[in-house]
Amino acid sequence: MISSDVIRGYNDTIILYMLLDNESYGYEISKKIKELSDEKYIIKETTLYSAFNRLEKNGYIESFYKQETFGKRRTYYRITKAGTDYYKEKCVEWEVTKQVINRFIKEVN
Amino acid sequence: METINNYLENMFASLPNTEEMRKLKEELLSNMEEKYHELKRDGKTENEAIGIVISEFGNIDELIHEFDIPVDKNEEELPTIITDKEVNNYLEASEKFGKVIGIGVFMCIIASAQLVLISQLVEDNVIVGVSEQAGSIIGLVPFFILIAIAVGLFIYSGMKMEKYKYIEDGVEVTSNTKTYLRQKNEAFQSTFTISLIIGVALCILSPIILFITSIYSDGASVYGVVALLCMVAVAVYIFVYYGTIRDSYKKLLRIDEFSKYKQEENRIIGAVASIIWPLAVVIFLISGLVFNQWHINWIVFPITGLLFAMFSGAYSILKEKH
């Protein structure tokens, strides 16, 4: 299990990734994050919704209602053009970060 | 399921009830419910499923921070959490305070009772060799001594309670302590009720002695007055002592009257009390020393008491309306 402190700066990136190919909703996103990370990262409810709020305010995602079966209404999210651009930026940033951090990583006996 | 809903309600209880928050809460709830159902489908027990859902909820502060929610001002000011030790110290100190103040008030009433008693004993020639004039004067010596001791006790215990003033201003205790206090408070409630009944009974019964003695003679009725005052003194001691203990629980648990609002009210009633009681003493002394009305002037105390009770009662009711 990864501590949420380490991953904090990349929650937005993770969520945007989930929305790249298709729109989705809260629980589905958190479930997929759990699966894709081999259950090593479970995003907290509050973290997820803080991120949704932040991303929407910045115009990176849009929310809309979708009627589900049994008349249940769900809030779905889709990524915007700005969101995709931001995602690309974050990927570049991560590559650099990874290289930098790797400089300081070595086996210690 | 109910548990999850309650949990979420509690989490949102301190947040403003806005459209945005309601929407957020609904979203979170449907997420958590879905997660719960899926866990159950995967063969988790009810408790396990609820445990997992709640443990994966996160921290409400994150939302407060992200949504820029203004934190309730009161919430920010008040809670200084105090330790169990402080709580116990405070309860002990309060009990002592109640006892000492109770004794002080008791002494004040007894002081006037003995004044009446001595002047009557002189009049009835039980104490011989003293003129009636001197009789009323010699009663004043123990009167002032008792009053002086009582005032000393008030000041001393007031100063001792000074260091617990922060508790009176409103503090928070941990939920464990709160439960413990609630239990103690409930256990004490019956003691308090009994003490209240005894006190009220004494007050109601006290005039009966006066009536009985007044049948015999005027002189006897004076002794009746003394007995009445003694009974009232005991009753007042009971009220003060048990009342203080009760207040200490109420203050810690922050039950009704120790809201900011009530404190303001108590302050005004206290200010009035500090004027009318000394005034009553002045009237008592002048009417006695100058007009030599010792046989009747004690009546200013019960009258003042009644007027004061009327004032504070009416004041509370009027204030409550706003």
Side-chain angles (χ1 to χ4, degrees):
Chain A
M1 189 81 92
I2 302 174
S3 92
S4 48
D5 273 338
V6 177
I7 228 155
R8 181 163 299 142
Y10 283 88
N11 278 320
D12 293 4
T13 317
I14 292 171
I15 292 163
L16 287 174
Y17 170 83
M18 291 299 172
L19 295 170
L20 279 179
D21 296 325
N22 38 23
E23 57 203 33
S24 184
Y25 61 94
Y27 179 59
E28 194 177 56
I29 292 173
S30 74
K31 198 170 67 173
K32 280 193 179 157
I33 291 173
K34 188 173 154 188
E35 282 165 15
L36 273 174
S37 68
D38 291 328
E39 306 208 356
K40 285 195 187 71
Y41 182 53
I42 295 167
I43 193 162
K44 304 272 190 215
E45 232 67 68
T46 53
T47 310
L48 186 66
Y49 279 87
S50 299
F52 281 155
N53 182 60
R54 189 168 49 234
L55 289 167
E56 196 168 6
K57 267 188 191 149
N58 290 332
Y60 299 149
I61 58 170
E62 287 168 347
S63 68
F64 58 99
Y65 290 123
K66 211 171 168 181
Q67 218 71 357
E68 293 286 306
T69 39
F70 308 120
K72 225 176 139 189
R73 197 177 65 168
R74 249 200 204 117
T75 309
Y76 270 75
Y77 299 92
R78 78 164 79 87
I79 195 164
T80 61
K81 175 76 182 54
T84 317
D85 291 343
Y86 177 70
Y87 174 76
K88 283 179 193 157
E89 270 173 48
K90 289 298 279 186
C91 289
V92 175
E93 186 195 280
W94 174 247
E95 284 304 324
V96 179
T97 311
K98 208 163 63 179
Q99 280 167 23
V100 172
I101 300 294
N102 272 338
R103 296 276 162 83
F104 302 95
I105 302 295
K106 68 165 188 176
E107 295 259 338
V108 181
N109 298 313
Chain B
M1 207 65 148
E2 191 58 30
T3 321
I4 293 172
N5 201 6
N6 286 342
Y7 177 78
L8 211 54
E9 284 295 335
N10 278 332
M11 281 295 159
F12 274 78
S14 60
L15 304 185
N17 188 15
T18 60
E19 182 60 37
E20 193 182 28
M21 285 301 116
R22 275 195 297 272
K23 217 185 105 185
L24 180 63
K25 187 165 71 179
E26 213 175 282
E27 280 291 315
L28 285 166
L29 183 64
S30 83
N31 258 8
M32 289 166 94
E33 278 177 357
E34 210 172 328
K35 193 183 277 184
Y36 166 83
H37 286 306
E38 214 166 279
L39 286 164
K40 290 270 303 231
R41 224 175 307 148
D42 292 346
K44 294 272 190 293
T45 66
E46 169 94 19
N47 283 340
E48 277 173 333
I50 289 173
I52 291 169
V53 169
I54 286 175
S55 74
E56 288 176 6
F57 173 76
N59 188 346
I60 195 79
D61 290 337
E62 202 173 4
L63 290 175
I64 291 175
H65 182 76
E66 191 59 49
F67 283 78
D68 257 339
I69 296 164
V71 180
D72 204 353
K73 246 207 178 140
N74 270 341
E75 204 107 320
E76 234 173 8
E77 271 174 26
L78 287 172
T80 343
I81 292 181
I82 55 169
T83 63
D84 290 6
K85 203 169 164 234
E86 279 174 289
V87 168
N88 280 326
N89 283 348
Y90 174 68
L91 287 177
E92 246 169 66
S94 285
E95 201 206 320
K96 234 178 249 165
F97 176 73
K99 202 176 274 175
V100 173
I101 293 289
I103 290 169
V105 177
F106 179 82
M107 283 167 91
C108 287
I109 302 172
I110 291 298
S112 24
Q114 65 81 32
L115 195 59
V116 178
L117 180 69
I118 286 178
S119 64
Q120 187 59 32
L121 286 175
V122 171
E123 211 181 302
D124 289 354
N125 291 320
V126 179
I127 299 176
V128 282
V130 198
S131 70
E132 261 180 49
Q133 184 65 29
S136 39
I137 304 295
I138 55 166
L140 281 176
V141 178
F143 175 83
F144 281 118
I145 291 173
L146 284 167
I147 297 286
I149 294 171
V151 171
L153 289 176
F154 293 150
I155 295 171
Y156 170 76
S157 54
M159 269 160 61
K160 279 205 109 177
M161 282 312 273
E162 192 66 21
K163 67 173 171 181
Y164 295 105
K165 213 181 161 294
Y166 69 99
I167 290 181
E168 252 120 274
D169 291 340
V171 285
E172 200 60 66
V173 292
T174 60
S175 35
N176 279 345
T177 317
K178 206 168 237 174
T179 318
Y180 161 76
L181 281 171
R182 282 220 180 91
Q183 281 166 353
K184 272 193 98 167
N185 186 33
E186 260 160 45
F188 172 72
Q189 216 44 251
S190 56
T191 318
F192 179 72
T193 311
I194 294 168
S195 70
L196 209 60
I197 293 169
I198 294 172
V200 171
L202 278 171
C203 286
I204 295 171
L205 291 177
S206 58
I208 291 176
I209 299 178
L210 188 58
F211 296 145
I212 295 170
T213 48
S214 62
I215 296 167
Y216 290 101
S217 68
D218 270 1
S221 75
V222 174
Y223 295 114
V225 168
V226 175
L228 177 145
L229 286 173
C230 288
M231 283 171 84
V232 170
V234 173
V236 168
Y237 172 79
I238 291 171
F239 291 146
V240 172
Y241 176 61
Y242 290 101
T244 311
I245 296 176
R246 180 161 166 270
D247 281 356
S248 64
Y249 287 119
K250 278 190 149 186
K251 277 172 193 162
L252 286 171
L253 290 166
R254 306 234 307 262
I255 302 173
D256 50 62
E257 59 187 85
F258 292 97
S259 56
K260 277 249 144 71
Y261 182 67
K262 193 80 185 183
Q263 273 176 19
E264 174 72 7
E265 192 180 305
N266 288 343
R267 232 164 43 90
I268 288 167
I269 291 175
V272 173
S274 70
I275 296 168
I276 72 159
W277 285 107
L279 199 66
V281 175
V282 168
I283 293 171
F284 176 73
L285 291 176
I286 291 175
S287 59
L289 292 170
V290 180
F291 301 104
N292 207 25
Q293 298 297 311
W294 294 115
H295 62 285
I296 186 66
N297 64 353
W298 53 267
I299 204 145
V300 297
F301 293 113
I303 289 175
T304 311
L306 276 173
L307 286 175
F308 183 62
M310 274 159 64
F311 165 76
S312 55
Y315 184 82
S316 294
I317 292 165
L318 284 175
K319 266 268 175 167
E320 233 152 71
K321 244 180 94 182
H322 299 298

mmCIF file of all heavy atoms in Angstrom, chain A residues 78-102:
data_model
loop_
_atom_site.group_PDB
_atom_site.id
_atom_site.type_symbol
_atom_site.label_atom_id
_atom_site.label_comp_id
_atom_site.label_asym_id
_atom_site.label_seq_id
_atom_site.Cartn_x
_atom_site.Cartn_y
_atom_site.Cartn_z
ATOM 1 N N ARG A 78 -16.064 13.914 -17.809
ATOM 2 C CA ARG A 78 -15.309 13.704 -19.055
ATOM 3 C C ARG A 78 -14.171 14.709 -19.117
ATOM 4 O O ARG A 78 -14.264 15.799 -18.583
ATOM 5 C CB ARG A 78 -16.241 13.783 -20.272
ATOM 6 C CG ARG A 78 -16.638 15.172 -20.714
ATOM 7 C CD ARG A 78 -17.216 15.138 -22.138
ATOM 8 N NE ARG A 78 -18.592 14.682 -22.198
ATOM 9 C CZ ARG A 78 -19.662 15.484 -22.054
ATOM 10 N NH1 ARG A 78 -19.509 16.769 -21.807
ATOM 11 N NH2 ARG A 78 -20.873 15.013 -22.135
ATOM 12 N N ILE A 79 -13.105 14.297 -19.794
ATOM 13 C CA ILE A 79 -11.925 15.151 -19.875
ATOM 14 C C ILE A 79 -12.111 16.199 -20.952
ATOM 15 O O ILE A 79 -12.808 15.965 -21.946
ATOM 16 C CB ILE A 79 -10.656 14.292 -20.121
ATOM 17 C CG1 ILE A 79 -9.376 15.084 -19.853
ATOM 18 C CG2 ILE A 79 -10.644 13.704 -21.530
ATOM 19 C CD1 ILE A 79 -8.145 14.201 -19.709
ATOM 20 N N THR A 80 -11.533 17.390 -20.766
ATOM 21 C CA THR A 80 -11.631 18.463 -21.771
ATOM 22 C C THR A 80 -10.304 18.533 -22.539
ATOM 23 O O THR A 80 -9.340 17.858 -22.191
ATOM 24 C CB THR A 80 -11.880 19.827 -21.106
ATOM 25 O OG1 THR A 80 -10.774 20.103 -20.249
ATOM 26 C CG2 THR A 80 -13.154 19.825 -20.280
ATOM 27 N N LYS A 81 -10.281 19.390 -23.524
ATOM 28 C CA LYS A 81 -9.057 19.608 -24.301
ATOM 29 C C LYS A 81 -7.951 20.101 -23.351
ATOM 30 O O LYS A 81 -6.825 19.592 -23.362
ATOM 31 C CB LYS A 81 -9.348 20.644 -25.410
ATOM 32 C CG LYS A 81 -8.175 21.071 -26.243
ATOM 33 C CD LYS A 81 -7.802 19.984 -27.263
ATOM 34 C CE LYS A 81 -6.579 20.349 -28.098
ATOM 35 N NZ LYS A 81 -5.391 20.715 -27.350
ATOM 36 N N ALA A 82 -8.311 21.076 -22.517
ATOM 37 C CA ALA A 82 -7.338 21.617 -21.559
ATOM 38 C C ALA A 82 -6.840 20.508 -20.636
ATOM 39 O O ALA A 82 -5.668 20.478 -20.250
ATOM 40 C CB ALA A 82 -7.978 22.743 -20.746
ATOM 41 N N GLY A 83 -7.755 19.605 -20.300
ATOM 42 C CA GLY A 83 -7.393 18.496 -19.420
ATOM 43 C C GLY A 83 -6.369 17.583 -20.051
ATOM 44 O O GLY A 83 -5.410 17.152 -19.396
ATOM 45 N N THR A 84 -6.575 17.309 -21.357
ATOM 46 C CA THR A 84 -5.627 16.446 -22.067
ATOM 47 C C THR A 84 -4.251 17.112 -22.139
ATOM 48 O O THR A 84 -3.225 16.457 -21.901
ATOM 49 C CB THR A 84 -6.131 16.154 -23.505
ATOM 50 O OG1 THR A 84 -7.533 15.883 -23.435
ATOM 51 C CG2 THR A 84 -5.421 14.980 -24.116
ATOM 52 N N ASP A 85 -4.267 18.425 -22.408
ATOM 53 C CA ASP A 85 -2.988 19.154 -22.459
ATOM 54 C C ASP A 85 -2.282 19.095 -21.104
ATOM 55 O O ASP A 85 -1.075 18.863 -21.027
ATOM 56 C CB ASP A 85 -3.226 20.623 -22.844
ATOM 57 C CG ASP A 85 -3.691 20.758 -24.293
ATOM 58 O OD1 ASP A 85 -3.517 19.776 -25.046
ATOM 59 O OD2 ASP A 85 -4.239 21.826 -24.643
ATOM 60 N N TYR A 86 -3.066 19.313 -20.073
ATOM 61 C CA TYR A 86 -2.507 19.295 -18.720
ATOM 62 C C TYR A 86 -1.929 17.914 -18.403
ATOM 63 O O TYR A 86 -0.856 17.788 -17.823
ATOM 64 C CB TYR A 86 -3.593 19.680 -17.712
ATOM 65 C CG TYR A 86 -3.149 19.635 -16.271
ATOM 66 C CD1 TYR A 86 -2.240 20.567 -15.768
ATOM 67 C CD2 TYR A 86 -3.659 18.669 -15.392
ATOM 68 C CE1 TYR A 86 -1.832 20.527 -14.445
ATOM 69 C CE2 TYR A 86 -3.262 18.620 -14.063
ATOM 70 C CZ TYR A 86 -2.347 19.553 -13.601
ATOM 71 O OH TYR A 86 -1.952 19.507 -12.294
ATOM 72 N N TYR A 87 -2.660 16.895 -18.849
ATOM 73 C CA TYR A 87 -2.202 15.523 -18.620
ATOM 74 C C TYR A 87 -0.841 15.285 -19.276
ATOM 75 O O TYR A 87 0.068 14.720 -18.678
ATOM 76 C CB TYR A 87 -3.229 14.525 -19.157
ATOM 77 C CG TYR A 87 -2.754 13.090 -19.084
ATOM 78 C CD1 TYR A 87 -2.740 12.400 -17.878
ATOM 79 C CD2 TYR A 87 -2.292 12.435 -20.233
ATOM 80 C CE1 TYR A 87 -2.279 11.099 -17.810
ATOM 81 C CE2 TYR A 87 -1.834 11.130 -20.179
ATOM 82 C CZ TYR A 87 -1.832 10.460 -18.956
ATOM 83 O OH TYR A 87 -1.366 9.176 -18.884
ATOM 84 N N LYS A 88 -0.721 15.786 -20.517
ATOM 85 C CA LYS A 88 0.556 15.625 -21.240
ATOM 86 C C LYS A 88 1.696 16.316 -20.479
ATOM 87 O O LYS A 88 2.783 15.766 -20.328
ATOM 88 C CB LYS A 88 0.438 16.206 -22.650
ATOM 89 C CG LYS A 88 -0.329 15.307 -23.609
ATOM 90 C CD LYS A 88 -0.433 15.970 -24.971
ATOM 91 C CE LYS A 88 -1.450 15.272 -25.856
ATOM 92 N NZ LYS A 88 -1.949 16.184 -26.904
ATOM 93 N N GLU A 89 1.398 17.533 -20.010
ATOM 94 C CA GLU A 89 2.401 18.273 -19.218
ATOM 95 C C GLU A 89 2.855 17.471 -18.009
ATOM 96 O O GLU A 89 4.040 17.383 -17.714
ATOM 97 C CB GLU A 89 1.789 19.578 -18.687
ATOM 98 C CG GLU A 89 1.929 20.793 -19.574
ATOM 99 C CD GLU A 89 1.123 21.942 -18.996
ATOM 100 O OE1 GLU A 89 1.249 22.201 -17.778
ATOM 101 O OE2 GLU A 89 0.340 22.562 -19.761
ATOM 102 N N LYS A 90 1.888 16.899 -17.346
ATOM 103 C CA LYS A 90 2.183 16.146 -16.118
ATOM 104 C C LYS A 90 3.038 14.920 -16.433
ATOM 105 O O LYS A 90 3.892 14.527 -15.631
ATOM 106 C CB LYS A 90 0.896 15.725 -15.391
ATOM 107 C CG LYS A 90 0.141 16.847 -14.730
ATOM 108 C CD LYS A 90 0.911 17.559 -13.632
ATOM 109 C CE LYS A 90 0.888 16.824 -12.316
ATOM 110 N NZ LYS A 90 1.534 17.619 -11.237
ATOM 111 N N CYS A 91 2.781 14.310 -17.630
ATOM 112 C CA CYS A 91 3.570 13.137 -18.008
ATOM 113 C C CYS A 91 5.036 13.512 -18.215
ATOM 114 O O CYS A 91 5.943 12.804 -17.764
ATOM 115 C CB CYS A 91 3.015 12.512 -19.294
ATOM 116 S SG CYS A 91 1.445 11.699 -19.015
ATOM 117 N N VAL A 92 5.220 14.660 -18.870
ATOM 118 C CA VAL A 92 6.593 15.150 -19.069
ATOM 119 C C VAL A 92 7.237 15.419 -17.712
ATOM 120 O O VAL A 92 8.371 15.006 -17.446
ATOM 121 C CB VAL A 92 6.587 16.436 -19.940
ATOM 122 C CG1 VAL A 92 8.000 17.025 -20.042
ATOM 123 C CG2 VAL A 92 6.021 16.138 -21.323
ATOM 124 N N GLU A 93 6.485 16.091 -16.877
ATOM 125 C CA GLU A 93 6.987 16.430 -15.549
ATOM 126 C C GLU A 93 7.395 15.169 -14.789
ATOM 127 O O GLU A 93 8.442 15.124 -14.138
ATOM 128 C CB GLU A 93 5.914 17.185 -14.766
ATOM 129 C CG GLU A 93 6.380 17.705 -13.411
ATOM 130 C CD GLU A 93 5.219 18.122 -12.534
ATOM 131 O OE1 GLU A 93 4.697 19.219 -12.734
ATOM 132 O OE2 GLU A 93 4.815 17.314 -11.652
ATOM 133 N N TRP A 94 6.583 14.137 -14.924
ATOM 134 C CA TRP A 94 6.872 12.894 -14.217
ATOM 135 C C TRP A 94 8.162 12.242 -14.723
ATOM 136 O O TRP A 94 8.955 11.740 -13.933
ATOM 137 C CB TRP A 94 5.704 11.922 -14.310
ATOM 138 C CG TRP A 94 6.025 10.579 -13.709
ATOM 139 C CD1 TRP A 94 6.142 9.389 -14.356
ATOM 140 C CD2 TRP A 94 6.324 10.308 -12.343
ATOM 141 N NE1 TRP A 94 6.479 8.395 -13.488
ATOM 142 C CE2 TRP A 94 6.602 8.932 -12.230
ATOM 143 C CE3 TRP A 94 6.385 11.112 -11.187
ATOM 144 C CZ2 TRP A 94 6.933 8.320 -11.030
ATOM 145 C CZ3 TRP A 94 6.714 10.499 -9.986
ATOM 146 C CH2 TRP A 94 6.982 9.130 -9.914
ATOM 147 N N GLU A 95 8.335 12.292 -16.037
ATOM 148 C CA GLU A 95 9.555 11.716 -16.598
ATOM 149 C C GLU A 95 10.779 12.392 -15.988
ATOM 150 O O GLU A 95 11.727 11.725 -15.588
ATOM 151 C CB GLU A 95 9.583 11.866 -18.129
ATOM 152 C CG GLU A 95 8.671 10.888 -18.876
ATOM 153 C CD GLU A 95 8.936 9.427 -18.554
ATOM 154 O OE1 GLU A 95 10.116 9.057 -18.346
ATOM 155 O OE2 GLU A 95 7.958 8.652 -18.464
ATOM 156 N N VAL A 96 10.730 13.711 -15.925
ATOM 157 C CA VAL A 96 11.843 14.470 -15.350
ATOM 158 C C VAL A 96 12.002 14.117 -13.867
ATOM 159 O O VAL A 96 13.106 13.818 -13.400
ATOM 160 C CB VAL A 96 11.626 15.994 -15.516
ATOM 161 C CG1 VAL A 96 12.776 16.770 -14.894
ATOM 162 C CG2 VAL A 96 11.468 16.342 -16.981
ATOM 163 N N THR A 97 10.879 14.113 -13.181
ATOM 164 C CA THR A 97 10.916 13.804 -11.751
ATOM 165 C C THR A 97 11.548 12.432 -11.509
ATOM 166 O O THR A 97 12.390 12.268 -10.628
ATOM 167 C CB THR A 97 9.481 13.802 -11.171
ATOM 168 O OG1 THR A 97 8.815 14.978 -11.574
ATOM 169 C CG2 THR A 97 9.493 13.726 -9.651
ATOM 170 N N LYS A 98 11.103 11.498 -12.328
ATOM 171 C CA LYS A 98 11.588 10.122 -12.181
ATOM 172 C C LYS A 98 13.113 10.070 -12.351
ATOM 173 O O LYS A 98 13.819 9.465 -11.545
ATOM 174 C CB LYS A 98 10.913 9.237 -13.247
ATOM 175 C CG LYS A 98 10.761 7.791 -12.847
ATOM 176 C CD LYS A 98 9.742 7.080 -13.729
ATOM 177 C CE LYS A 98 10.189 7.034 -15.182
ATOM 178 N NZ LYS A 98 9.229 6.332 -16.066
ATOM 179 N N GLN A 99 13.587 10.760 -13.420
ATOM 180 C CA GLN A 99 15.035 10.792 -13.667
ATOM 181 C C GLN A 99 15.773 11.403 -12.490
ATOM 182 O O GLN A 99 16.802 10.881 -12.041
ATOM 183 C CB GLN A 99 15.344 11.597 -14.932
ATOM 184 C CG GLN A 99 15.122 10.824 -16.226
ATOM 185 C CD GLN A 99 15.145 11.750 -17.431
ATOM 186 O OE1 GLN A 99 15.727 12.843 -17.366
ATOM 187 N NE2 GLN A 99 14.502 11.335 -18.513
ATOM 188 N N VAL A 100 15.233 12.533 -12.003
ATOM 189 C CA VAL A 100 15.908 13.228 -10.902
ATOM 190 C C VAL A 100 15.953 12.353 -9.658
ATOM 191 O O VAL A 100 17.011 12.149 -9.067
ATOM 192 C CB VAL A 100 15.216 14.573 -10.591
ATOM 193 C CG1 VAL A 100 15.791 15.196 -9.328
ATOM 194 C CG2 VAL A 100 15.363 15.531 -11.768
ATOM 195 N N ILE A 101 14.818 11.805 -9.303
ATOM 196 C CA ILE A 101 14.766 10.994 -8.077
ATOM 197 C C ILE A 101 15.660 9.764 -8.214
ATOM 198 O O ILE A 101 16.363 9.387 -7.280
ATOM 199 C CB ILE A 101 13.311 10.584 -7.730
ATOM 200 C CG1 ILE A 101 12.415 11.810 -7.507
ATOM 201 C CG2 ILE A 101 13.265 9.665 -6.508
ATOM 202 C CD1 ILE A 101 12.749 12.648 -6.302
ATOM 203 N N ASN A 102 15.663 9.203 -9.428
ATOM 204 C CA ASN A 102 16.482 8.001 -9.647
ATOM 205 C C ASN A 102 17.975 8.245 -9.383
ATOM 206 O O ASN A 102 18.694 7.328 -9.018
ATOM 207 C CB ASN A 102 16.288 7.470 -11.069
ATOM 208 C CG ASN A 102 15.123 6.502 -11.115
ATOM 209 O OD1 ASN A 102 14.745 5.939 -10.086
ATOM 210 N ND2 ASN A 102 14.544 6.312 -12.300
#
